[in-house]
């Protein structure tokens, strides 16, 4: 269709969509093709999305589609009231937070992982195949190849695949699973024989997920920062709001994290193999808590390389000055810097001149508050107003300029608060024991023992996407590389396309792409590939066999372990 004709067609389709939704309130978005007699479903979805952003249409999740209503209609059902969760913590204070010194442990430097735009070793696309599945580079045997009945076809909503000790866990993190009603997320567990042992929908979403490769069950965090953990039978183990955890409360004060931004600062959650403890991270901190709610230990990553602390000198004073500052801020000894900063922000919101334009004393009172805060903390109050804590500077360029007989040094760089300079923890997981791996954005990976003590440090120079341990091997996955490490030895270094997913098992591991599954032994030796004509939807082990399914076909493969 010529461009002008297409634009005119789209322009005419918008009022038809609004008219149709108004005449059929609650209709499914997938039914609009029929109602409008419009063959281009993708175009309809795009226009509906634009109309939703403009407030002309409201979409309510219903299974794998959306129920549509005219924006502002009285027929729009109210959003469900979130179920409250009470804290399971048995302690009111966080355990001591230990600052990690990564220079005090053996360092294993690995070949740097390039960024996706630097990599030139991406796996080539598989050529078209005539059959539904085909074995490549291996003596595997396709034992059976069968068409699936409609009721047996894999639900594409279960898009996350995690082999575990006694089966395979599949997770629907978007709440699109069929046959479970209006759920926020869902999970399905296959036993070693390939039978569905459990299938459950959850009323909490899965914004973050942690699955132990040789454990049972999993842990998730919802968008409202509620941790919820499940056992092998997918029954609840415990749940607790992280907003009430003393570690999170202190981190929010230190870093100035607002309510709506908290979930973005909690990057990782993890559950131990025996589900007796769990882990969560917030920016550069990691905290380990028992399943009974007792804080066990906490560690903080060092500031990123290249950043230097820059805290302007604040005024000093005698005992009378300190007492006056405490009185002004309605504080008393003993007091912590966290208490002072929190009180400063609270009073600043009340006293700032911009918020009190008719009060001539507001500026003077705000200046007195700044002076009191600087005196009590030793930090320039301007840094507290912008972001909690001291300021940091990162130099990016330095030049010397000759001005007459003098040489002037000009420095260029970035200045920011602790959040800018911090090495955020982007991947975390428990070892086969209760040890822990923590991977920072810098590419530094800390191996800790069960007590949170530093054992070893790896450095790959890029942020990991996933880190897990199986059969004494450590697997570090980035957007372009998979590292297979044992102790301080690099066993394999495998190029991966950006969308590849790592599937671990007790006898090896797979790298799953859209239409290809590459299989390797535990040490990273390539075993072979299974190529599919259509996208692979489900993968699981059934005893000594590998089951791979596309939307309509099931392939059972034998001989992987030979």
């Amino acid at each position: 269709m010529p461009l002008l004709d297409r634009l005119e067609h789209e322009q005419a389709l918008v009022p038809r969509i609004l008219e149709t939704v108004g005449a059929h309130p609650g209709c499914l978005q997938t039914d609009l093709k029929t109602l409008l007699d419009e063959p281009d479903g993708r175009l309809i979805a795009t226009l509906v999305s634009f109309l939703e952003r403009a407030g002309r249409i409201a979409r309510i999740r219903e299974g794998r589609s959306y129920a549509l209503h005219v924006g502002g209609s009285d027929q729009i059902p109210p959003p469900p009231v979130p179920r409250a969760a009470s804290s399971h913590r048995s302690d009111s204070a966080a355990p001591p937070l230990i600052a990690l010194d990564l220079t005090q442990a053996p360092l294993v430097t690995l070949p740097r992982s390039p960024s996706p735009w630097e990599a030139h070793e991406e796996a080539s696309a598989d050529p078209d195949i005539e059959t539904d599945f085909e074995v490549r580079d291996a003596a595997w045997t396709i034992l059976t190849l069968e068409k699936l009945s409609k009721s047996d076809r894999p639900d594409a909503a279960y898009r996350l695949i995690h082999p575990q000790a006694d089966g395979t866990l599949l997770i629907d993190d978007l709440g699109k699973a069929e046959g479970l009603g209006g759920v926020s997320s869902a999970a399905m567990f296959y036993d070693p024989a390939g039978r569905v042992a459990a299938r459950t929908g959850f009323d909490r979403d899965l914004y973050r997920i942690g699955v132990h490769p040789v454990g049972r069950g999993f842990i998730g965090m919802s968008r409202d920062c509620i941790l919820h953990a499940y056992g092998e039978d997918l029954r609840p183990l415990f749940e607790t709001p992280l907003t009430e955890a003393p570690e999170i409360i202190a981190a929010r004060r230190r870093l100035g994290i607002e309510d709506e931004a908290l979930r973005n600062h909690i990057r990782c959650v993890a559950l131990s193999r025996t589900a007796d403890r769990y882990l969560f991270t917030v920016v550069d901190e990691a905290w380990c808590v028992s399943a009974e709610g007792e804080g066990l230990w906490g560690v903080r990553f060092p500031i990123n390389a290249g950043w230097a602390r820059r805290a302007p000198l604040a005024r000093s004073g005698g005992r009378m000055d300190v007492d006056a500052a405490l009185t002004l801020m309605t504080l008393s000894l003993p007091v912590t810097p966290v208490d002072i900063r929190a009180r400063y922000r609270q009073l600043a919101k009340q006293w700032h001149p911009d918020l009190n334009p008719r009060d001539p004393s507001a500026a003077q009172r705000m200046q007195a508050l700044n002076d009191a805060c600087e005196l009590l903390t030793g930090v320039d109050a301007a840094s507290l107003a912008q972001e909690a804590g001291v300021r940091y500077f990162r130099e990016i360029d330095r030049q010397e300029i000759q001005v007459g007989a003098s040489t002037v040094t000009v420095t260029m760089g970035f200045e920011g608060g602790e959040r800018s300079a911090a090495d955020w923890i982007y991947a975390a997981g428990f070892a086969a024991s209760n040890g822990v791996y923590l991977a920072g954005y810098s590419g530094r990976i800390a191996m800790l023992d069960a007590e949170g003590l530093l054992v070893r440090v790896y450095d790959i120079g890029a942020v990991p996407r996933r880190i897990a341990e199986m059969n004494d091997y450590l697997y570090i996955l980035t957007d372009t590389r998979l590292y297979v490490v044992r102790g301080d030895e690099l066993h394999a270094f495998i190029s991966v396309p950006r969308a590849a997913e790592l599937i671990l098992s007790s006898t090896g591991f797979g790298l799953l792409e859209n239409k290809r599954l590459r299989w390797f032994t535990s040490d990273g030796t390539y075993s072979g590939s299974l190529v599919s004509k259509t996208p692979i939807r489900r993968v699981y082990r059934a005893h000594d066999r590998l089951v791979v399914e596309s939307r309509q076909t099931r392939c059972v493969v034998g001989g992987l372990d030979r």
Side-chain angles (χ1 to χ4, degrees):
M1 181 183 295
L3 178 59
L4 183 59
D5 291 344
R6 180 174 179 81
L7 291 175
E8 291 178 348
H9 176 67
E10 293 177 2
Q11 187 175 17
L13 194 56
V14 169
R16 290 181 58 209
I17 291 174
L18 292 171
E19 181 181 352
T20 301
V21 172
H24 301 84
C27 65
L28 295 180
Q29 181 173 312
T30 50
D31 293 336
L32 279 183
K33 286 178 61 175
T34 302
L35 293 172
L36 294 168
D37 193 22
E38 166 60 48
D40 192 344
R42 181 171 296 182
L43 173 60
I44 292 175
T46 300
L47 295 177
V48 167
S49 178
F50 287 145
L51 289 169
E52 181 186 34
R53 295 178 192 175
R56 305 290 300 279
I57 278 182
R59 296 197 299 177
I60 310 298
R61 170 70 67 185
E62 188 168 314
R64 299 181 63 187
S65 185
Y66 294 93
L68 305 181
H69 296 270
V70 174
S73 170
D74 295 336
Q75 296 177 314
I76 300 175
V81 178
R83 178 170 55 84
S86 57
S87 177
H88 81 147
R89 294 298 295 271
S90 58
D91 49 5
S92 58
L97 178 62
I98 306 301
L100 291 176
D101 184 352
L102 300 184
T103 65
Q104 298 303 307
L107 173 65
V108 180
T109 302
L110 301 174
R112 176 181 171 273
S113 178
S115 61
W117 50 88
E118 293 176 312
H120 301 291
E121 302 175 24
E122 299 260 338
S124 59
D126 287 297
D128 292 336
I129 60 176
E130 297 182 0
T131 57
D132 290 311
F133 287 92
E134 184 178 304
V135 171
R136 299 280 178 86
D137 308 325
W140 304 339
T141 302
I142 295 181
L143 302 175
T144 62
L145 194 63
E146 60 179 320
K147 293 294 182 181
L148 295 170
S149 65
K150 190 172 183 180
S151 61
D152 287 337
R153 291 176 184 174
D155 186 346
Y158 295 94
R159 61 181 190 153
L160 305 178
I161 304 171
H162 294 278
Q164 290 191 289
D166 295 325
T168 304
L169 178 69
L170 280 75
I171 295 177
D172 161 28
D173 59 326
L174 301 178
K176 295 183 177 182
E178 297 177 343
L180 294 174
V183 298
S184 296
S185 58
M188 180 186 302
F189 187 76
Y190 285 87
D191 67 15
R195 297 183 296 259
V196 177
R199 181 172 178 263
T200 306
F202 310 115
D203 62 355
R204 299 201 187 281
D205 64 275
L206 291 169
Y207 187 70
R208 304 285 187 213
I209 300 172
V211 183
H212 198 291
V214 291
R216 294 173 174 84
F218 72 100
I219 192 169
M221 186 191 80
S222 59
R223 290 178 178 273
D224 54 357
C225 300
I226 294 177
L227 274 182
H228 45 118
Y230 305 90
E232 179 182 7
D233 55 3
L234 302 182
R235 294 181 181 178
L237 296 176
F238 61 84
E239 64 179 20
T240 186
L242 287 181
T243 52
E244 299 179 21
E247 300 85 1
I248 293 293
I249 293 173
R252 293 185 63 181
R253 288 176 178 172
R254 175 173 75 92
L255 299 168
I257 304 172
E258 301 295 335
D259 290 349
E260 62 276 6
L262 179 59
R263 65 172 177 260
N264 297 321
H265 292 74
I266 301 173
R267 307 298 302 190
C268 309
V269 296
L271 189 67
S272 68
R273 179 179 60 85
T274 56
D276 63 334
R277 56 178 60 187
Y278 64 90
L279 177 84
F280 62 87
T281 70
V282 53
V283 187
D284 55 351
E285 299 175 5
W287 296 94
C288 188
V289 182
S290 72
E292 291 75 29
E294 178 188 0
L296 301 177
W297 52 260
V299 297
R300 181 190 296 170
F301 259 44
I303 292 297
N304 263 317
W307 288 86
R309 179 169 173 155
R310 174 182 278 188
L313 294 176
R315 57 187 292 266
S316 60
R319 177 57 190 262
M320 293 182 62
D321 295 323
V322 171
D323 288 342
L326 289 169
T327 300
L328 176 68
M329 299 184 71
T330 63
L331 295 170
S332 61
L333 298 176
V335 66
T336 69
V338 171
D339 297 330
I340 297 169
R341 291 167 180 162
R343 185 61 176 155
Y344 172 83
R345 293 190 194 91
Q346 184 181 16
L347 292 175
K349 291 179 180 179
Q350 300 176 20
W351 296 354
H352 199 282
D354 292 347
L355 303 177
N356 300 275
R358 298 182 180 180
D359 185 355
S361 65
Q364 184 178 359
R365 186 167 49 190
M366 188 65 199
Q367 183 60 51
L369 176 63
N370 287 340
D371 292 343
C373 184
E374 291 178 15
L375 178 62
L376 295 175
T377 64
V379 178
D380 179 17
S383 67
L384 294 175
Q386 298 175 43
E387 187 175 330
V390 297
R391 307 295 289 174
Y392 290 84
F393 181 78
R394 181 179 183 181
E395 182 179 313
I396 60 173
D397 188 36
R398 178 187 292 261
Q399 294 185 5
E400 293 185 352
I401 302 175
Q402 196 69 30
V403 180
S406 303
T407 300
V408 179
T409 301
V410 178
T411 302
M412 299 179 62
F414 300 103
E415 183 176 276
E418 288 184 89
R419 278 186 286 175
S420 301
D423 190 1
W424 288 46
I425 300 173
Y426 264 69
F430 282 93
S433 62
N434 279 336
V436 167
Y437 292 97
L438 303 173
Y441 188 81
S442 63
R444 297 177 294 181
I445 300 161
M447 176 184 177
L448 312 178
D449 66 14
E451 305 303 319
L453 301 178
L454 186 62
V455 176
R456 183 181 289 118
V457 178
Y458 299 92
D459 192 347
I460 61 172
V463 57
R465 184 151 51 95
R466 186 182 174 193
I467 182 166
E469 184 184 81
M470 172 77 80
N471 299 331
D472 294 331
Y473 288 96
L474 177 64
Y475 300 96
I476 307 169
L477 179 66
T478 73
D479 283 335
T480 58
R481 297 289 184 267
L482 173 68
Y483 300 84
V484 182
V485 182
R486 192 174 189 178
D488 58 359
E489 299 175 340
L490 176 63
H491 281 249
F493 181 63
I494 304 166
S495 297
V496 298
R498 190 168 190 173
E501 294 295 335
L502 174 65
I503 298 177
L504 296 173
S505 82
S506 59
T507 58
F509 66 89
L511 286 169
L512 178 61
E513 303 163 31
N514 185 39
K515 298 181 181 180
R516 181 174 70 162
L517 175 65
R518 287 188 286 166
W519 199 259
F520 302 80
T521 59
S522 295
D523 64 357
T525 302
Y526 176 57
S527 298
S529 298
L530 186 70
V531 181
S532 173
K533 192 173 186 178
T534 56
I536 295 172
R537 298 295 192 189
R538 188 160 61 193
V539 177
Y540 58 91
R541 292 296 294 261
H543 295 304
D544 59 344
R545 301 175 179 183
L546 180 70
V547 181
V548 182
E549 297 175 350
S550 63
R551 180 61 174 164
Q552 298 185 4
T553 308
R554 174 183 293 141
C555 178
V556 179
V557 181
L560 270 75
D561 301 333
R562 290 202 296 265

